[in-house]
């Protein structure tokens, strides 16, 4: 059975009901897609939590070396890491009972995505959260 992304109504609900997004692999380099996407999501009012070892902050937000180090609730994990690293990220999300994971455009790991779904998580894979936000909600 192939992985399929949720339909637009579920995607929109996820975007509207998630406030705090932990971004795994958020780069401090403004030229990187993770930085650009996250800066837009921050501007849309989301609480962006950078998860990136060896940096103190990104986009003016305190950074954490791992998901486990992030204090407080996480509504959604947005992944900007190589497909091979998604398995460990899914393991962390399942252990932490994070309700949703968004695996960015160009990153495909079907076994990890299916495992996350089977654990009860909402899973989006191979899509850009910013593009879907603009398409489903707009700039307001």
């Amino acid at each position: 059975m192939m992985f399929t992304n949720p339909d637009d109504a579920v995607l929109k609900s996820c975007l509207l009901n998630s406030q705090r997004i932990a971004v795994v692999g958020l780069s401090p380099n403004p030229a990187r897609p993770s930085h650009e996407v996250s800066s837009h999501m921050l501007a849309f009012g989301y609480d962006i939590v950078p998860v990136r070892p060896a940096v103190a902050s990104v986009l003016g937000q305190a950074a954490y070396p791992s998901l486990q180090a992030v204090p407080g609730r996480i509504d959604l994990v947005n992944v900007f890491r190589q497909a091979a690293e998604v398995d460990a990220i899914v393991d962390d999300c399942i252990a932490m009972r994070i309700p949703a994971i968004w695996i960015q455009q160009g990153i495909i790991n079907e076994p990890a995505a299916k495992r996350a779904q089977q654990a009860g998580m909402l899973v989006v894979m191979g899509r850009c959260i910013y593009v879907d936000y603009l398409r489903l909600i707009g700039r307001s």
Side-chain angles (χ1 to χ4, degrees), residues 110-128:
E110 287 206 20
K114 288 179 193 172
R115 197 161 39 83
Q117 279 182 326
Q118 290 167 348
M121 293 179 66
L122 172 71
V123 181
V124 181
M125 183 171 64
R127 299 182 68 111
C128 177

mmCIF file of all heavy atoms in Angstrom, residues 110-128:
data_model
loop_
_atom_site.group_PDB
_atom_site.id
_atom_site.type_symbol
_atom_site.label_atom_id
_atom_site.label_comp_id
_atom_site.label_asym_id
_atom_site.label_seq_id
_atom_site.Cartn_x
_atom_site.Cartn_y
_atom_site.Cartn_z
ATOM 1 N N GLU A 110 8.755 6.564 2.600
ATOM 2 C CA GLU A 110 7.440 5.945 2.783
ATOM 3 C C GLU A 110 7.356 5.055 4.012
ATOM 4 O O GLU A 110 6.365 5.127 4.737
ATOM 5 C CB GLU A 110 7.023 5.188 1.515
ATOM 6 C CG GLU A 110 6.629 6.139 0.403
ATOM 7 C CD GLU A 110 5.650 5.531 -0.591
ATOM 8 O OE1 GLU A 110 4.979 4.540 -0.265
ATOM 9 O OE2 GLU A 110 5.573 6.099 -1.686
ATOM 10 N N PRO A 111 8.362 4.198 4.290
ATOM 11 C CA PRO A 111 8.236 3.370 5.504
ATOM 12 C C PRO A 111 8.095 4.205 6.778
ATOM 13 O O PRO A 111 7.283 3.888 7.651
ATOM 14 C CB PRO A 111 9.530 2.546 5.513
ATOM 15 C CG PRO A 111 9.956 2.496 4.078
ATOM 16 C CD PRO A 111 9.547 3.828 3.507
ATOM 17 N N ALA A 112 8.851 5.286 6.886
ATOM 18 C CA ALA A 112 8.761 6.151 8.067
ATOM 19 C C ALA A 112 7.398 6.842 8.121
ATOM 20 O O ALA A 112 6.790 6.930 9.197
ATOM 21 C CB ALA A 112 9.879 7.176 8.062
ATOM 22 N N ALA A 113 6.921 7.311 6.986
ATOM 23 C CA ALA A 113 5.617 7.976 6.940
ATOM 24 C C ALA A 113 4.499 7.024 7.341
ATOM 25 O O ALA A 113 3.608 7.379 8.127
ATOM 26 C CB ALA A 113 5.363 8.544 5.546
ATOM 27 N N LYS A 114 4.549 5.810 6.844
ATOM 28 C CA LYS A 114 3.521 4.818 7.192
ATOM 29 C C LYS A 114 3.583 4.465 8.671
ATOM 30 O O LYS A 114 2.548 4.305 9.328
ATOM 31 C CB LYS A 114 3.688 3.574 6.333
ATOM 32 C CG LYS A 114 3.290 3.779 4.890
ATOM 33 C CD LYS A 114 3.516 2.508 4.102
ATOM 34 C CE LYS A 114 3.428 2.758 2.619
ATOM 35 N NZ LYS A 114 3.834 1.589 1.826
ATOM 36 N N ARG A 115 4.788 4.352 9.213
ATOM 37 C CA ARG A 115 4.953 4.046 10.632
ATOM 38 C C ARG A 115 4.363 5.158 11.492
ATOM 39 O O ARG A 115 3.687 4.904 12.499
ATOM 40 C CB ARG A 115 6.438 3.835 10.942
ATOM 41 C CG ARG A 115 6.703 3.138 12.228
ATOM 42 C CD ARG A 115 8.102 2.542 12.286
ATOM 43 N NE ARG A 115 9.149 3.362 11.691
ATOM 44 C CZ ARG A 115 9.757 4.359 12.318
ATOM 45 N NH1 ARG A 115 9.444 4.667 13.547
ATOM 46 N NH2 ARG A 115 10.706 5.035 11.699
ATOM 47 N N ALA A 116 4.586 6.400 11.088
ATOM 48 C CA ALA A 116 4.019 7.535 11.813
ATOM 49 C C ALA A 116 2.491 7.513 11.748
ATOM 50 O O ALA A 116 1.816 7.738 12.757
ATOM 51 C CB ALA A 116 4.567 8.844 11.254
ATOM 52 N N GLN A 117 1.943 7.214 10.578
ATOM 53 C CA GLN A 117 0.489 7.109 10.428
ATOM 54 C C GLN A 117 -0.063 6.009 11.327
ATOM 55 O O GLN A 117 -1.074 6.202 12.001
ATOM 56 C CB GLN A 117 0.105 6.798 8.980
ATOM 57 C CG GLN A 117 0.082 7.988 8.066
ATOM 58 C CD GLN A 117 -0.346 7.610 6.655
ATOM 59 O OE1 GLN A 117 -0.049 6.516 6.171
ATOM 60 N NE2 GLN A 117 -1.028 8.522 5.999
ATOM 61 N N GLN A 118 0.605 4.864 11.330
ATOM 62 C CA GLN A 118 0.141 3.743 12.150
ATOM 63 C C GLN A 118 0.182 4.069 13.636
ATOM 64 O O GLN A 118 -0.585 3.519 14.421
ATOM 65 C CB GLN A 118 0.961 2.484 11.851
ATOM 66 C CG GLN A 118 0.678 1.920 10.481
ATOM 67 C CD GLN A 118 1.679 0.867 10.032
ATOM 68 O OE1 GLN A 118 2.732 0.685 10.633
ATOM 69 N NE2 GLN A 118 1.349 0.184 8.943
ATOM 70 N N ALA A 119 1.047 5.001 14.019
ATOM 71 C CA ALA A 119 1.130 5.437 15.417
ATOM 72 C C ALA A 119 0.087 6.510 15.734
ATOM 73 O O ALA A 119 0.023 6.994 16.859
ATOM 74 C CB ALA A 119 2.527 5.962 15.714
ATOM 75 N N GLY A 120 -0.714 6.890 14.727
ATOM 76 C CA GLY A 120 -1.789 7.849 14.947
ATOM 77 C C GLY A 120 -1.462 9.288 14.590
ATOM 78 O O GLY A 120 -2.272 10.186 14.825
ATOM 79 N N MET A 121 -0.304 9.511 14.005
ATOM 80 C CA MET A 121 0.081 10.867 13.628
ATOM 81 C C MET A 121 -0.526 11.263 12.286
ATOM 82 O O MET A 121 -0.698 10.419 11.408
ATOM 83 C CB MET A 121 1.610 10.979 13.501
ATOM 84 C CG MET A 121 2.348 10.834 14.798
ATOM 85 S SD MET A 121 4.136 10.938 14.539
ATOM 86 C CE MET A 121 4.275 12.635 13.999
ATOM 87 N N LEU A 122 -0.801 12.538 12.134
ATOM 88 C CA LEU A 122 -1.125 13.099 10.826
ATOM 89 C C LEU A 122 0.205 13.259 10.103
ATOM 90 O O LEU A 122 1.141 13.834 10.660
ATOM 91 C CB LEU A 122 -1.814 14.455 10.968
ATOM 92 C CG LEU A 122 -2.025 15.198 9.652
ATOM 93 C CD1 LEU A 122 -3.099 14.499 8.826
ATOM 94 C CD2 LEU A 122 -2.414 16.631 9.901
ATOM 95 N N VAL A 123 0.289 12.747 8.882
ATOM 96 C CA VAL A 123 1.544 12.774 8.139
ATOM 97 C C VAL A 123 1.332 13.403 6.770
ATOM 98 O O VAL A 123 0.432 13.010 6.032
ATOM 99 C CB VAL A 123 2.117 11.350 7.958
ATOM 100 C CG1 VAL A 123 3.438 11.392 7.203
ATOM 101 C CG2 VAL A 123 2.280 10.649 9.291
ATOM 102 N N VAL A 124 2.175 14.390 6.474
ATOM 103 C CA VAL A 124 2.216 14.998 5.146
ATOM 104 C C VAL A 124 3.636 14.792 4.644
ATOM 105 O O VAL A 124 4.595 15.038 5.373
ATOM 106 C CB VAL A 124 1.879 16.500 5.189
ATOM 107 C CG1 VAL A 124 1.898 17.102 3.791
ATOM 108 C CG2 VAL A 124 0.532 16.736 5.873
ATOM 109 N N MET A 125 3.782 14.330 3.422
ATOM 110 C CA MET A 125 5.119 14.036 2.907
ATOM 111 C C MET A 125 5.260 14.532 1.470
ATOM 112 O O MET A 125 4.342 14.411 0.660
ATOM 113 C CB MET A 125 5.394 12.528 2.962
ATOM 114 C CG MET A 125 6.793 12.143 2.511
ATOM 115 S SD MET A 125 7.202 10.405 2.806
ATOM 116 C CE MET A 125 6.015 9.588 1.740
ATOM 117 N N GLY A 126 6.446 15.092 1.185
ATOM 118 C CA GLY A 126 6.753 15.510 -0.177
ATOM 119 C C GLY A 126 6.025 16.771 -0.605
ATOM 120 O O GLY A 126 5.855 17.021 -1.802
ATOM 121 N N ARG A 127 5.592 17.566 0.370
ATOM 122 C CA ARG A 127 4.864 18.806 0.073
ATOM 123 C C ARG A 127 5.481 19.943 0.861
ATOM 124 O O ARG A 127 5.996 19.739 1.952
ATOM 125 C CB ARG A 127 3.397 18.669 0.457
ATOM 126 C CG ARG A 127 2.682 17.555 -0.302
ATOM 127 C CD ARG A 127 1.233 17.513 0.102
ATOM 128 N NE ARG A 127 0.576 18.717 -0.389
ATOM 129 C CZ ARG A 127 -0.324 18.731 -1.364
ATOM 130 N NH1 ARG A 127 -0.664 17.615 -1.945
ATOM 131 N NH2 ARG A 127 -0.877 19.845 -1.745
ATOM 132 N N CYS A 128 5.362 21.139 0.336
ATOM 133 C CA CYS A 128 5.879 22.327 1.015
ATOM 134 C C CYS A 128 4.776 22.962 1.858
ATOM 135 O O CYS A 128 3.713 23.322 1.339
ATOM 136 C CB CYS A 128 6.405 23.345 -0.004
ATOM 137 S SG CYS A 128 6.986 24.866 0.786
#
